[in-house]
Amino acid sequence: MKEKLIPYFSALLSAFLLTLASPGIDLWFLAYFALVPVILAASRNSRPWLVFFTFAFLYYCYNLRWVETSVSHFGGAPAIIGMMLVAVFAAVLALFWALFGWVYMRRPSANILGATVIVALEIVRAHFFTGFPWLYLGHTQTSFAPAVQAADIGGEYLISLAVAYFNLALASFIRDRNRNSFAIASVALLALFAYGFLAQHREYNHEVLKTRIIQPAYSQNDKWDTDKELEVTLQVSELIRNSSPQNYELLMLPESVYPKMMDKDFTGYRLMSIVSEDTPVLAGVIRNNGKVKDREYYNSVYLFEGKNVQTYDKRHLVPFGEYFPLGALFKPIDYYFFKGAEDFSAGKIPGVFDYGKIKAAPLVCYESAYSSLVRPQIEDGANMIAVVTNDSWFGDTQGPYQHMATDIMRAVEYRRSVVRAAQTGVSACINPDGTIQAELGLNKAGYLDCDVQTVTARSIFSVTGYLWLVLLILGIYLYERRRRFYK
């Protein structure tokens, strides 16, 4: 009985180590051997897929605790419902690792193939259903800048590949004394770090945009409470007034900062219009298309510049949060949480805010996790990335830090400063090398002032994308075909 349980204790150990390496705890170096226990245990088990499933299920159950917080604490559902949803979500994501276990154990010595399979499954996960590009292996490295600099060549999946390959090579060395693979992995990792130390201090031609971020930090429970609407509105407006007129070139506020539909008659709209006569104001808003019939609602960003207002509408909506797929099937759930409120509509245009020094790529919340959404904005000339978000739904979990890890990746991939304004934190100014210039922590109301570098140079990744991955997969295919031919 004891021998049967040992593989699952190993799976637990790997889940624990990878959690310590993940955003929010940030012991990044643990990621390079966190998977070794589960790989070795699966190698000796008749059901390797189940060992990997157990590892991933445990890992996601802990790291996605914010789902229960969103659904039960803020959504009002019973705690048991929130915990069940976490378990279901974790089980679905764990299936990808189970599939990896099934594939990899057919060729346990093919470490580069195994690492490529892990990356391929991360890509599939990013697009399956509506996608969940979150908690990648590469995201464990965002707290150590030299480890992620190569993302400007190969994107976040290149970093995931490096972490996965080193784990597999180390496990192969322990299990099979495969010195060649471990030597290659070690040299590759040293090269990755060497490039990182050099690239981190690279100088770019840039201008400086003096920016102030406002973090109101009011409770999510208060936001849509009609009895607290005036209090929240006055709080946000006071923070804006206290910032004007001052020596800033951009004033930035988080997602749907006012608990009110944004129209020209709303006091918040008028205030931001007045303030923007001196300083442009970028703010997340909720708006509609102004029609009585066929009315549509948007989660949007406005750039106020005096009487002119530029608009960006969120393109990638969150299922069950901003719209309900299969509406008829999920109608009872929709009514329970949102009382039959209208779904948001998705924006169609990538859009870049263009005003003076500002050529900002606006993104709303979860959108910043999708590298593909940023690319057309960079191609249109964006010299910075502006993320407005409401991470208060995560509560006091690792959720806000998991989200910020994706923003760090966007900064390095495209070599652009990322300015993120969050309702309750973490608001931050992220430099083009992924280092955090300044941040304002969770549940702290106030201001964050930064000198934002506006860079126009293009990174290799912004031009070639994942061409390297296509070539790698093609090379593996040709090698495997040749190997079978001569076998």
Side-chain angles (χ1 to χ4, degrees), residues 331-368:
K331 198 65 178 177
I333 302 175
D334 185 5
Y335 187 80
Y336 180 88
F337 285 107
F338 300 101
K339 309 304 178 189
E342 293 288 336
D343 288 350
F344 283 107
S345 296
K348 308 297 183 188
I349 303 172
V352 173
F353 288 155
D354 192 346
Y355 180 73
K357 288 184 184 179
I358 302 168
K359 290 181 176 57
L363 297 167
V364 181
C365 193
Y366 189 54
E367 285 188 312
S368 64

Side-chain angles (χ1 to χ4, degrees), residues 189-419:
L189 192 61
L190 288 173
L192 184 81
F193 287 166
Y195 176 81
F197 280 109
L198 292 173
Q200 185 182 346
H201 303 291
R202 188 183 296 157
E203 290 293 329
Y204 299 94
N205 292 325
H206 67 272
E207 294 186 87
V208 172
L209 185 72
K210 292 187 176 298
T211 302
R212 164 164 281 192
I213 300 170
I214 293 177
Q215 183 170 294
Y218 51 74
S219 168
Q220 182 64 23
N221 285 326
D222 293 343
K223 184 166 188 172
W224 303 112
D225 184 341
T226 53
D227 294 333
K228 301 261 182 94
E229 181 182 299
L230 179 59
E231 179 184 334
V232 170
T233 298
L234 291 174
Q235 178 186 345
V236 174
S237 296
E238 186 65 19
L239 287 166
I240 296 173
R241 287 192 195 95
N242 290 341
S243 298
S244 178
Q246 294 187 32
N247 189 29
Y248 302 110
E249 296 170 281
L250 178 65
L251 192 62
M252 188 166 165
L253 296 99
E255 178 185 7
S256 59
V257 64
Y258 279 109
K260 194 80 174 177
M261 193 69 60
M262 187 63 64
D263 57 47
K264 293 182 179 180
D265 295 325
F266 177 53
T267 180
Y269 186 102
R270 294 199 299 270
L271 174 62
M272 288 190 282
S273 294
I274 293 169
V275 169
S276 68
E277 295 285 351
D278 298 313
T279 305
V281 179
L282 188 152
V285 302
I286 301 296
R287 73 176 192 91
N288 61 56
N289 60 2
K291 297 179 180 178
V292 176
K293 187 179 180 181
D294 299 325
R295 177 167 291 189
E296 294 180 335
Y297 298 86
Y298 296 92
N299 192 354
S300 304
V301 188
Y302 279 172
L303 179 65
F304 291 88
E305 30 164 316
K307 295 181 180 179
N308 297 318
V309 178
Q310 297 182 43
T311 303
Y312 168 81
D313 298 321
K314 186 177 183 181
R315 290 169 284 159
H316 192 102
L317 302 178
V318 179
F320 304 108
E322 293 172 316
Y323 78 100
F324 268 74
L326 306 174
L329 178 62
F330 292 110
K331 198 65 178 177
I333 302 175
D334 185 5
Y335 187 80
Y336 180 88
F337 285 107
F338 300 101
K339 309 304 178 189
E342 293 288 336
D343 288 350
F344 283 107
S345 296
K348 308 297 183 188
I349 303 172
V352 173
F353 288 155
D354 192 346
Y355 180 73
K357 288 184 184 179
I358 302 168
K359 290 181 176 57
L363 297 167
V364 181
C365 193
Y366 189 54
E367 285 188 312
S368 64
Y370 292 86
S371 181
S372 59
L373 292 178
V374 183
R375 181 182 300 279
Q377 295 173 309
I378 300 299
E379 291 172 349
D380 284 347
N383 60 15
M384 60 178 286
I385 299 170
V387 179
V388 299
T389 185
N390 176 11
D391 286 351
S392 61
W393 289 101
F394 294 133
D396 295 324
T397 67
Q398 278 79 42
Y401 301 98
Q402 294 167 10
H403 186 194
M404 190 162 69
T406 68
D407 295 336
I408 292 172
M409 280 296 186
R410 298 296 84 78
V412 181
E413 285 177 341
Y414 295 104
R415 292 301 182 189
R416 294 293 185 270
S417 295
V418 175
V419 188

Side-chain angles (χ1 to χ4, degrees), residues 19-225:
T19 293
L20 293 179
S22 295
I25 301 178
D26 292 319
L27 299 178
W28 61 271
F29 55 91
L30 294 179
Y32 290 98
F33 55 86
L35 300 180
V36 173
V38 69
I39 294 169
L40 293 176
S43 301
R44 305 185 186 101
N45 194 274
S46 60
R47 291 181 288 184
W49 63 270
L50 184 58
V51 178
F52 275 104
F53 178 89
T54 303
F55 146 73
F57 179 75
L58 294 171
Y59 174 73
Y60 290 122
C61 273
Y62 180 81
N63 288 280
L64 298 179
R65 293 174 298 128
W66 48 263
V67 172
E68 190 273 334
T69 301
S70 300
V71 171
S72 298
H73 181 72
F74 294 115
I80 188 65
I81 298 296
M83 289 186 284
M84 287 173 61
L85 286 175
V86 172
V88 170
F89 197 6
V92 171
L93 295 176
L95 289 174
F96 290 95
W97 279 98
L99 180 58
F100 163 74
W102 183 81
V103 172
Y104 174 66
M105 287 311 161
R106 277 152 176 74
R107 289 285 309 283
S109 60
N111 295 319
I112 190 63
L113 173 63
T116 305
V117 169
I118 288 176
V119 169
L121 290 171
E122 285 189 345
I123 294 172
V124 173
R125 175 155 66 86
H127 298 89
F128 178 71
F129 195 35
T130 63
F132 189 65
W134 203 272
L135 289 173
Y136 288 163
L137 287 182
H139 294 170
T140 62
Q141 303 302 292
T142 52
S143 62
F144 182 56
V148 297
Q149 297 307 305
D152 74 346
I153 298 174
E156 61 191 343
Y157 295 128
L158 179 60
I159 312 304
S160 287
L161 184 77
V163 175
Y165 182 54
F166 192 85
N167 272 275
L168 291 166
L170 179 56
S172 182
F173 175 73
I174 295 171
R175 183 187 61 225
D176 306 321
R177 295 295 181 266
N178 187 341
R179 292 181 177 84
N180 290 338
S181 183
F182 183 63
I184 293 171
S186 298
V187 170
L189 192 61
L190 288 173
L192 184 81
F193 287 166
Y195 176 81
F197 280 109
L198 292 173
Q200 185 182 346
H201 303 291
R202 188 183 296 157
E203 290 293 329
Y204 299 94
N205 292 325
H206 67 272
E207 294 186 87
V208 172
L209 185 72
K210 292 187 176 298
T211 302
R212 164 164 281 192
I213 300 170
I214 293 177
Q215 183 170 294
Y218 51 74
S219 168
Q220 182 64 23
N221 285 326
D222 293 343
K223 184 166 188 172
W224 303 112
D225 184 341

